[in-house]
Amino acid sequence: MTTAAPSNIPAPPPGCPFNAEFLPPNLRKHVDPAAPVPLRMMAAKSLVPLSPSDMLGALFMLTFDADAAVRETAAKTSAGLPEKILGSALRDEEVQPQVLGYFLGMLKEKDAYAEMLVLNASTPDEAVAAVARDCGAKLAEIIGQNQLRLLRHEDILRNLCSNAQVPVSIIDSVCDFAVRSGMQLTDVPQMKAARVRLFGPEAAEAPPDPGPTAEQVLQEMGGEVTDENAAPLEEGKRLTLAQRLMKMSISEKIKLATLGNKEARGALIRDTNKLVAVAVIRSPRITDGEVLSCAANRAIMEDVLRVIYNNREWTKNMKVKLALVKNPKVPLTVTMKFLNVLRDNELKDLSRDKNVPAAVQQFAKKMLEKKTTPKRTDDK
């Protein structure tokens, strides 16, 4: 679906899934469909001063341009970008997922770049699944090590299993993990073999006691766990949801974390399995309020906090920064980075707050003293 453009941002070319909001305001004209062709051609030739990540986004937008020459130039430029640009941008999780998927399809034969993109958490699962179908053994091993992707998107495992270049040892390891996590895939022979290997011949067609699926829970509880605007669950229904979650496999919980609403995510973020909790914070439906709540939660898993403090968009929010600074599970090296950008009144509050870690309180006090102590000058 095309992103609606605010009044001060040019509408995207027809078919492009996002607008130019990510670009510096003075450079958005270079992807504006209403701008003269020479302006757009400058960006298509990468002659516009953009950061590596912004350049990838602009080139992707121009592959939808109405002018065939601009489209072809943008595609040619994308395929020939130098390492100094790709090496930085392909690792950036803030790049639009559609852009990362486009470049993975283009660069899948170049192992170093394909690995960067497969390791980038923002690269779409669908793009990784497409590459898994015919990639080499090294890239297949990297794909197979991303357990959250495997459980979140079944076609990744399907395609790995159909790829003749992937060693049997990797397939067996991946399938064993998937079976233990509750994934079924009765259409994949290697998964059937894994069930027999782990549970015996009687489990060939289906695992013992697979538990409810995400689809069953969503159907049973309806909009109460799918509609983001649904009222909070009544106590009885909240208990029912908790009981269903207790019986669900890891793979089905991850599906529910992706498809469910705030109520479902709130229950799943407390799961003891880190893959489930991380699936919640990485859900495309997660809200800023939920992110802030997780950042302030001292009982939250460190893996969840790591996703939050490594996300540049979320940490632009001063409330999120402060919540992370006060959370004792956040590494001190990360906390110090955030302390350096806090205002004097915020440092003052931290220096007096007995509920923050002692080291943070002391650092805040020292930083405040350094800012407020007048510089001494030698007498002449």
Side-chain angles (χ1 to χ4, degrees), residues 18 59 82 95 179 224 345 366:
F18 53 82
L59 287 170
V95 173
V179 167
E224 292 172 304
N345 63 316
K366 288 179 181 178

Side-chain angles (χ1 to χ4, degrees), residues 42-64:
M42 283 180 65
K45 293 179 178 179
S46 75
L47 299 177
V48 178
L50 292 170
S51 71
S53 297
D54 287 349
M55 185 176 293
L56 263 61
L59 287 170
F60 175 81
M61 290 189 72
L62 291 170
T63 64
F64 293 87

